[in-house]
Amino acid sequence: MTTNTSVTSDRLSDGAVSPLRTLDPAAPLDDLEWLDQAIGDARVVAIGESAHYNREFFQLRHRLLRYLAERHGFSAYAMETGFVEGALVDSWVRGEGDAGAERLGHVMANGMTSLMGAWAPMRAHLEWMRRHNHAAAHPVGFYGIDMPGSMVSLLPGLDAVTAYLALADPEFPVDPALRETAAAFAAPSAFTAPAAIAAYGDLATERRNAMTAGLADLTAHLTSRRLTYVRRTSADAFARALHALRVTVTLDAMLREIARGNRDAMSLVRDARIADTVEWVLEREDRIVLAAHNGHVQRAPHTMPGMPVMPMAGAHLADRLGSDYVVIGTTTGTGQTLNTAPDFYTGTLFADLEEAPRPGSLDALMNAGHRGPFAVDLRRLSAADTAAVRSVSRQRYGTYYADQSALASFDIVVHLPHVTAAEPDPAALAQAPRDVREPFAGWMSMA
């Protein structure tokens, strides 16, 4: 980036900006060469998004992963989706199973949680990973970093651990009461999450406590028999089963906090485990591209509506990894964003953004005066540009604004001047449960 000290307080200088020629993941990558200096030798490059399910965020992450894999040898894509379910996606992108549309639809519907796999740009991303892995000397693996069951169902984690124990210790009886209790509030998708949380709250306290105690006993059993189980299976199979159990225990803790009315504690528990999972992946992969919401990846504590300022996963990773952790945050101008109102659950999936970001926000500063998508390296700004960034104190996250220090939170910011709803993937929706298909059908009929 060149240096240009001519700047007003509400606009970054032209010298601060590295234009992105396109968001098309298949286009030439030369306009991303500024990344070479920006990432250095970092082992984890996190790419945030202002809200989920926008077409442009999917494309940006796909394009940046392609560059980092092809030019810098990054070997893992770790995404804000369930850890347990992500193993199915990883197997597919590494070349296992049929490559056809129907099979990939099954993988997207069942291997990705919280509706992350319902979108056509995600299909293109996974198809590229499989092609890359077929041709490249160094494959790129897929990892989920979040809790199982769209953060409300313990069943995927419990079933994964039970399946492992059937191989490692067929004589050990997993208490059937664990699954019976988990099934009493299980939800098939994110759309039924409110009902699942309510059902968990309706369980007798003794039954919830027994499930927590049973999970603790199962954890103790598994960890104490590591050497035996590794000999019977493999070190990797044991590690995956144990981490599947740990994220399941974390989800149980999250639900307990929700039942107590402690949303802030629930978020703290979740993000600490997300950071642990990223480190788990880092034990197996040299360099990781991490894809999650801005709030999860930013270095500085995050503020959500009605909740206190809290350190999220990015704060943990920055503390643990230091300069090995680089954060690319994002801002937006106009368009559509994920709807966070209650009618989301009945099919109003997106809401219109304001005509322009509010003054005093990072989004407004980035949106002023520069056309097209672009990147700004916050660590290499002129004094005047640094002062301009320091002068804004808020950032837009979908439909709300949060107090924010961009300089404390991000190393790089990518601005997308217009964002749109991603296109649904027909094959993935065909494989999804009815409670997903129906809201999507309602939304698509209104589009």
Side-chain angles (χ1 to χ4, degrees):
M1 295 184 185
T2 60
T3 300
N4 183 343
T5 57
S6 175
V7 64
T8 61
S9 61
D10 60 353
R11 182 185 184 277
L12 293 176
S13 70
D14 293 342
V17 170
S18 292
L20 304 185
R21 186 183 309 114
T22 179
L23 294 178
D24 180 0
L29 300 172
D30 292 347
D31 59 322
L32 298 179
E33 289 179 348
W34 54 269
L35 273 170
D36 298 346
Q37 182 182 21
I39 65 167
D41 296 325
R43 295 191 64 200
V44 178
V45 173
I47 307 168
E49 59 181 359
S50 302
H52 297 318
Y53 318 142
N54 280 115
R55 173 176 178 264
E56 291 74 15
F57 288 127
F58 280 117
Q59 291 181 316
L60 175 68
R61 295 184 302 194
H62 181 171
R63 194 157 189 263
L64 293 182
L65 173 64
R66 183 184 155 213
Y67 185 88
L68 293 172
E70 293 180 1
R71 304 284 182 93
H72 293 275
F74 278 67
S75 60
Y77 185 69
M79 185 177 175
E80 188 183 341
T81 184
F83 170 82
V84 175
E85 294 88 343
L88 176 62
V89 184
D90 185 59
S91 295
W92 191 87
V93 300
R94 292 183 189 271
E96 297 181 17
D98 176 24
E102 183 176 349
R103 175 59 184 170
L104 181 51
H106 170 81
V107 169
M108 293 166 68
N110 295 279
M112 303 185 75
T113 64
S114 302
L115 307 178
M116 293 297 183
W119 311 97
M122 194 69 237
R123 166 182 289 274
H125 190 154
L126 297 179
E127 288 174 334
W128 173 83
M129 290 180 70
R130 184 168 170 126
R131 290 195 304 270
H132 171 85
N133 290 344
H134 177 74
H138 302 289
V140 178
F142 182 96
Y143 296 87
I145 58 168
D146 213 341
M147 306 312 116
S150 295
M151 297 184 293
V152 286
S153 177
L154 277 66
L155 291 181
L158 280 173
D159 290 347
V161 175
T162 301
Y164 173 76
L165 285 168
L167 297 174
D169 195 351
E171 302 302 317
F172 175 74
V174 177
D175 184 357
L178 279 175
R179 199 179 194 283
E180 291 170 6
T181 301
F185 62 90
S189 83
F191 283 111
T192 43
I197 291 170
Y200 175 85
D202 289 340
L203 290 175
T205 301
E206 294 79 8
R207 197 174 180 190
R208 297 201 304 257
N209 290 345
M211 184 171 65
T212 300
L215 289 170
D217 289 344
L218 192 56
T219 302
H221 176 89
L222 205 62
T223 54
S224 66
R225 290 160 176 79
R226 176 186 176 278
L227 295 177
T228 300
Y229 288 175
V230 165
R231 285 196 299 269
R232 293 177 180 175
T233 59
S234 69
D236 182 67
F238 175 86
R240 287 180 177 273
L242 179 59
H243 201 74
L245 182 54
R246 285 175 171 161
V247 295
T248 305
V249 168
T250 298
L251 177 55
D252 176 66
M254 289 167 56
L255 293 168
R256 291 177 70 86
E257 294 294 0
I258 293 173
R260 297 185 186 111
N262 296 334
R263 289 180 60 211
D264 52 340
M266 179 276 292
S267 293
L268 288 169
V269 169
R270 177 190 176 198
D271 273 71
R273 179 58 71 190
I274 287 175
D276 292 342
T277 302
V278 173
E279 286 202 296
W280 186 93
V281 177
L282 201 57
E283 292 172 358
R284 291 153 179 80
E285 305 284 356
D286 290 335
R287 306 183 84 179
I288 300 171
V289 173
L290 170 61
H293 193 281
N294 279 336
H296 290 302
V297 301
Q298 66 187 52
R299 296 172 177 275
H302 180 50
T303 305
M304 290 182 283
M307 298 175 70
V309 177
M310 296 181 295
M312 308 296 271
H316 289 284
L317 292 170
D319 178 66
R320 300 175 193 180
L321 301 178
S323 61
D324 272 337
Y325 185 61
V326 169
V327 188
I328 302 175
T330 55
T331 54
T332 59
T334 59
Q336 291 182 304
T337 190
L338 174 66
N339 178 26
T340 55
D343 58 347
F344 167 83
Y345 296 98
T346 56
T348 305
L349 304 187
F350 292 87
D352 291 334
L353 290 168
E354 301 161 309
E355 290 186 5
R358 295 178 190 174
S361 67
L362 179 64
D363 299 77
L365 176 66
M366 297 285 284
N367 201 50
H370 298 284
R371 294 183 179 275
F374 62 87
V376 173
D377 191 331
L378 300 181
R379 302 161 302 177
R380 294 177 172 85
L381 296 176
S382 68
D385 284 320
T386 299
V389 174
R390 187 175 288 118
S391 71
V392 298
S393 58
R394 293 183 297 170
Q395 184 170 354
R396 184 168 63 188
Y397 290 86
T399 57
Y400 70 92
Y401 285 79
D403 292 338
Q404 179 77 296
S405 166
L407 294 172
S409 298
F410 307 117
D411 300 297
I412 300 156
V413 175
V414 172
H415 181 67
L416 303 178
H418 188 74
V419 291
T420 58
E423 307 86 358
D425 185 80
L429 289 182
Q431 301 279 348
R434 186 174 68 179
D435 76 312
V436 171
R437 296 195 304 271
E438 290 180 349
F440 266 84
W443 170 62
M444 288 186 287
S445 69
M446 295 184 293

